[in-house]
Amino acid sequence: MKTILIADDNPDLLQLVDTQLNAAGYRTKTARDGQEAETLALTQPIDLAILDVMMPKKDGFAVTEAIRQAKNIPILILTAKSDIFDKQQGYTAGADDYLTKPFDIRELQFKIQALFRRYAPTNTAIIQVGDLLLDTNNYSLQQGLQELFLPRKEFEILALLARHPNQIFDRESILLQVWGPDYTGTDRTIDVHIKRLRDHLIQDETTAITTVRGLGYRLEVRQ
Amino acid sequence: MIFKRSLSHKVVLWISGILCFSCLIGFLGGNQYYHQQLKPKNDAKITAMAKNIQHFYQQLPQNQRQAYLNSVAQTGYDFAVYTDGQVHYYGSPFRITQLTQSARATVAQNKIYHGIKHYQKGPFVTGFFANDLNNTVGIQLNPHQQLFIRANPNAQFGELRSYMLVIGLITVTLGAFLLVLTAQKRLVRPLKRLTQATQKVAAGNYHTNLTAVTNQDEIGRLTESFQKMTQQLAEVEKSRNEFVANVSHDLQSPLTALKGYADQLQAPTLPPQQQQRYLQIIQQETTRLAELTKELLLLSTLDQEHTLDFQQTLALDQQLKAAIKAFSFQLDQKALFVAAQLPPVTVVGNQELLFQVWQNLLTNSIRYAPEASDLKLTLTQTKTTATITLTNFGPPIDPEVQQHLFERFYQGDTTRQARDHHGLGLAIAYKIVQLHHGTLTVASTQADGTTFKVQLPLK
């Protein structure tokens, strides 16, 4: 289980984020000011830090710098100041991402997952099939000179198929690996996503997702 | 003290000073002219007269000589006659009667004494009017008698002098008076009017009543640019008032809704479904308010453009890629696919502001793009321009609406589900592109979708 540090001087917001992240299956530690946040981050096993900018005793940028010097963990900055110039300062201090208040709690979770993926130790991040170049760490896809930004599920399906070109995947195993065991969708969900994925890759002539009747799908590489 | 404060007093002082100075220079110049040019002529004239007197004197019998000298004195000459050491003065008396020995000696040798020609030359010595016995021409009347003579200017042309003096005085006084008057009319009064106008403007009244400018001098130009400035201030004030009115309206309506639904929620008998619905509305309205205040802050930053740095070099392709990444959550929510053509292009500008442009255009495009549709992003460059286009395939925008799309608080769709946004995003993008000397345009058709096009100059 991952542990997330949340630092914000507003108790209501702290409580809200804490509850939501617990519900999403993360362990949490909370801090009400910058000094406390820094102490926690440096002494406790923390996997990710969410820091508010405006905090008593020490601001979020200073805490970011302190953590950056000691640990290699993802840091996400929360800012109430809409002044866009703060973001620059956050990146300079070493933050990985930012979110401006007010924010959608689902967006926060989305960003947390993306950060964990990016920091996950993996050696199969880059996949090349035909003209397609996938980077599973940051969900980027290049096809020749084009940058393609696929919706997450489509990317995950493509990554699954591309890791094993020409291998046939049945719908159930795709559902299991992409949506997870708790998902109660139907085969139809897969078909819709595959159709869209085909449309989005229509310009690529080196690969094709083909339907194997009665079995499932596979990614063909044409030479 | 008062002389230092008032321009009209200064004008009077300066003009008087200049006139006094001119008089002094005139006197010195005239005097110098007399010394250099007129003295020998005057001397020659008096010498001729003296010779005349000598001639007549010698021809007259002894008993008529005294009467002759008296009558010469009455024609406007002052002179002294030395008879064996005895001196007798004729005409009006000399101020200085101490005659030098050398003058007497010269005449005693039967030579002519040219006292006028050799009279002292100091710049402040009024040679012509010096009533000095040395300022004469000396001549021997006979071996016992010597004559020292000069013209008496007062007797000869005293009235002329007064006449000239009166003319001079009137000219100078009238000239000074007219100068002061002109200065008042041309300088002081317009400046006073301008001062009054600035005070009015400072007090918030932009109707200054300054008459139309007719003269093209510096003050005319000052007045003209002042009028222009006032008009611009009035326009700024007007648009600011409109802006504040719009903002107030945009803050008021969600607040009213919030209050209304919060009141409703207090009713104990409200069914849970309704509760849920009201809470949702409250959530939407607060989000809208928060977004609005954010953007208002940004707009006020943009209006102070001199504090912003537009000299940053940035890679547009990288920035656009980062912008899409930043929206991956929102794109994923609507299952949107983005195809982007991003060759390396570098521009000079403000990094944060341009990023804001992409964010605002993406926000707009994501809002109107249908579920699971495509967005297209292209980046191209020519020698002079970098062009960015962002296309979504939402419903086409009415041509009428397109015209006002980039105005602050303009809301295109008044009928559809536009409740959760307001009209600032595109206005901000437009303003930022404008600050970069670029253009932001929109084209929208059913077939080709809606395309926002940003063109930035390359330096």
Side-chain angles (χ1 to χ4, degrees):
Chain A
M1 194 185 275
K2 302 268 191 192
T3 308
I4 296 176
L5 168 69
I6 316 157
D8 198 310
D9 59 335
N10 180 335
D12 295 331
L13 192 85
L14 198 60
Q15 178 67 47
L16 178 76
V17 176
D18 189 37
T19 314
Q20 297 280 350
L21 291 187
N22 280 327
Y26 297 108
R27 202 182 297 133
T28 53
K29 301 239 182 260
T30 58
R32 293 284 295 276
D33 64 61
Q35 193 55 57
E36 194 187 347
E38 187 179 323
T39 312
L40 276 175
L42 300 184
T43 56
Q44 305 280 318
I46 302 287
D47 298 304
L48 184 147
I50 299 171
L51 306 171
D52 183 31
V53 174
M54 306 275 271
M55 284 190 291
K57 295 185 186 170
K58 210 163 193 182
D59 73 23
F61 300 138
V63 179
T64 302
E65 270 176 52
I67 296 177
R68 223 355 117 240
Q69 279 174 10
K71 285 189 170 181
N72 182 31
I73 58 167
I75 299 171
L76 195 149
I77 292 275
L78 289 184
T79 169
K81 284 210 236 167
S82 67
D83 194 341
I84 52 171
F85 303 101
D86 280 1
K87 291 173 195 164
Q88 187 65 36
Q89 210 184 334
Y91 284 126
T92 315
D96 295 287
D97 207 347
Y98 66 89
L99 204 50
T100 48
K101 297 177 187 173
F103 53 85
D104 190 330
I105 197 77
R106 291 172 304 159
E107 184 169 7
L108 178 64
Q109 289 185 18
F110 188 90
K111 284 191 185 261
I112 289 171
Q113 284 169 23
L115 284 176
F116 276 138
R117 263 197 318 275
R118 206 193 314 163
Y119 273 76
T122 168
N123 46 12
T124 54
I126 309 285
I127 305 165
Q128 166 116 46
V129 275
D131 280 351
L132 299 181
L133 190 65
L134 288 84
D135 184 341
T136 54
N137 278 350
N138 56 19
Y139 278 41
S140 78
L141 168 62
Q142 274 183 43
Q143 182 241 314
L145 295 172
Q146 287 222 95
E147 293 274 346
L148 306 177
F149 300 85
L150 292 170
R152 186 156 55 158
K153 294 295 181 221
E154 286 175 40
F155 184 90
E156 282 171 2
I157 294 169
L158 179 65
L160 179 67
L161 298 180
R163 276 204 183 90
H164 310 279
N166 297 319
Q167 184 183 320
I168 301 167
F169 287 84
D170 62 33
R171 292 181 173 80
E172 254 146 66
S173 70
I174 294 175
L175 262 184
L176 186 69
Q177 294 201 48
V178 174
W179 273 266
D182 301 332
Y183 187 74
T184 53
T186 61
D187 291 356
R188 176 77 191 128
T189 314
I190 303 285
D191 295 341
V192 168
H193 279 85
I194 291 284
K195 185 190 174 301
R196 287 185 192 158
L197 192 52
R198 276 182 184 143
D199 288 345
H200 295 155
L201 298 176
I202 201 153
Q203 283 182 25
D204 183 41
E205 289 167 354
T206 58
T207 62
I209 298 169
T210 50
T211 312
V212 185
R213 196 175 292 258
L215 291 175
Y217 298 103
R218 66 171 177 174
L219 185 72
E220 262 184 33
V221 182
R222 298 165 179 166
Q223 292 310 326
Chain B
M1 277 303 118
I2 198 159
F3 291 113
K4 281 188 178 165
R5 290 215 191 109
S6 160
L7 184 60
S8 56
H9 282 118
K10 273 188 182 168
V11 164
V12 171
L13 266 185
W14 271 101
I15 289 176
S16 318
I18 289 168
L19 284 175
C20 288
F21 183 71
S22 315
C23 287
L24 182 68
I25 295 292
F27 167 75
L28 288 177
N31 211 26
Q32 209 56 35
Y33 180 64
Y34 171 76
H35 282 309
Q36 302 295 337
Q37 300 289 327
L38 297 182
K39 232 158 57 171
K41 288 182 187 164
N42 193 25
D43 190 279
K45 219 164 83 181
I46 301 294
T47 304
M49 184 64 193
K51 280 182 177 167
N52 245 338
I53 293 171
Q54 184 196 40
H55 180 71
F56 266 101
Y57 189 83
Q58 284 169 356
Q59 287 187 350
L60 283 171
Q62 193 74 34
N63 57 353
Q64 287 177 17
R65 286 181 177 174
Q66 192 61 36
Y68 172 66
L69 287 181
N70 281 335
S71 77
V72 168
Q74 279 171 13
T75 59
Y77 288 91
D78 296 343
F79 51 92
V81 177
Y82 285 81
T83 314
D84 294 336
Q86 288 285 354
V87 62
H88 199 277
Y89 298 103
Y90 296 85
S92 41
F94 288 91
R95 198 166 56 81
I96 296 165
T97 52
Q98 190 66 46
L99 190 62
T100 53
Q101 283 300 315
S102 61
R104 293 282 305 279
T106 307
V107 180
Q109 290 165 24
N110 201 10
K111 287 178 188 163
I112 295 174
Y113 164 66
H114 293 286
I116 292 175
K117 193 174 175 180
H118 298 115
Y119 197 67
Q120 59 195 93
K121 282 187 178 171
F124 292 99
V125 177
T126 55
F128 188 70
F129 294 103
N131 192 7
D132 183 345
L133 192 51
N134 293 298
N135 190 17
T136 54
V137 169
I139 197 164
Q140 206 175 45
L141 293 174
N142 56 50
H144 304 287
Q145 288 189 307
Q146 297 157 355
L147 172 77
F148 292 89
I149 186 167
R150 71 182 281 267
N152 180 348
N154 211 25
Q156 287 188 346
F157 50 87
E159 293 74 19
L160 181 69
R161 196 165 55 155
S162 308
Y163 173 68
M164 295 298 281
L165 195 69
V166 168
I167 289 181
L169 269 178
I170 289 178
T171 310
V172 166
T173 316
L174 195 70
F177 181 70
L178 286 176
L179 272 176
V180 169
L181 214 65
T182 314
Q184 287 279 6
K185 191 172 154 54
R186 289 276 157 144
L187 274 174
V188 181
R189 236 184 287 162
L191 285 178
K192 265 189 186 164
R193 277 207 301 267
L194 263 181
T195 310
Q196 284 167 358
T198 50
Q199 283 162 354
K200 266 190 180 176
V201 171
N205 177 5
Y206 297 106
H207 303 285
T208 53
N209 296 330
L210 281 177
T211 44
V213 184
T214 47
N215 52 344
Q216 287 298 308
D217 60 10
E218 284 83 351
I219 288 190
R221 285 203 293 273
L222 177 63
T223 311
E224 203 179 320
S225 40
F226 179 80
Q227 281 172 321
K228 264 188 205 156
M229 186 195 76
T230 309
Q231 280 161 11
Q232 274 162 4
L233 277 176
E235 271 165 35
V236 167
E237 175 81 4
K238 193 174 154 235
S239 70
R240 203 189 59 174
N241 283 341
E242 276 171 13
F243 185 66
V244 169
N246 278 332
V247 170
S248 313
H249 176 262
D250 254 55
L251 292 176
Q252 273 305 317
S253 50
L255 282 173
T256 313
L258 283 178
K259 188 179 175 331
Y261 287 111
D263 287 347
Q264 296 271 316
L265 279 170
Q266 281 179 333
T269 55
L270 198 70
Q273 272 175 331
Q274 288 280 41
Q275 269 184 24
Q276 201 52 42
R277 161 124 185 79
Y278 290 171
L279 283 171
Q280 214 171 14
I281 294 171
I282 288 175
Q283 192 194 20
Q284 280 171 9
E285 293 293 294
T286 44
T287 310
R288 190 179 147 201
L289 271 179
E291 286 293 325
L292 177 65
T293 46
K294 252 195 225 178
E295 297 188 347
L296 282 174
L297 270 170
L298 178 60
L299 262 185
S300 73
T301 314
L302 291 184
D303 286 340
Q304 300 160 343
E305 60 180 286
H306 55 278
T307 59
L308 300 168
D309 176 13
F310 288 100
Q311 296 307 315
Q312 300 164 341
T313 303
L314 54 107
L316 264 189
D317 49 316
Q318 296 302 320
Q319 205 184 39
L320 287 165
K321 208 189 279 186
I324 298 174
K325 285 276 173 204
F327 276 88
S328 46
F329 172 71
Q330 286 82 354
L331 290 166
D332 203 60
Q333 290 288 297
K334 284 186 102 170
L336 296 176
F337 165 71
V338 186
Q341 206 105 47
L342 300 172
V345 174
T346 306
V347 295
V348 174
N350 185 295
Q351 196 172 331
E352 296 297 324
L353 291 182
L354 283 178
F355 194 74
Q356 191 70 37
V357 172
W358 318 135
Q359 280 189 322
N360 290 8
L361 293 182
L362 275 167
T363 304
N364 188 279
S365 298
I366 291 171
R367 178 176 298 137
Y368 291 106
E371 195 92 13
S373 67
D374 296 356
L375 297 183
K376 283 209 170 73
L377 179 68
T378 68
L379 171 63
T380 51
Q381 73 171 330
T382 63
K383 268 190 184 143
T384 54
T385 325
T387 306
I388 300 98
T389 67
L390 179 63
T391 307
N392 70 72
F393 295 93
I397 305 172
D398 206 62
E400 169 74 15
V401 176
Q402 283 182 34
Q403 283 183 6
H404 302 282
L405 204 58
F406 302 113
E407 287 172 15
R408 291 180 186 188
F409 284 107
Y410 186 79
Q411 233 160 303
D413 47 358
T414 43
T415 49
R416 286 184 293 121
Q417 37 31 304
R419 293 292 307 152
D420 64 334
H421 78 282
H422 37 82
L424 283 178
L426 291 179
I428 289 173
Y430 190 81
K431 172 84 183 173
I432 294 174
V433 173
Q434 209 178 33
L435 289 178
H436 284 84
H437 308 292
T439 56
L440 169 57
T441 52
V442 67
S444 186
T445 61
Q446 182 73 51
D448 299 327
T450 300
T451 299
F452 288 100
K453 184 181 188 179
V454 176
Q455 291 190 295
L456 295 172
L458 297 169
K459 274 161 201 162

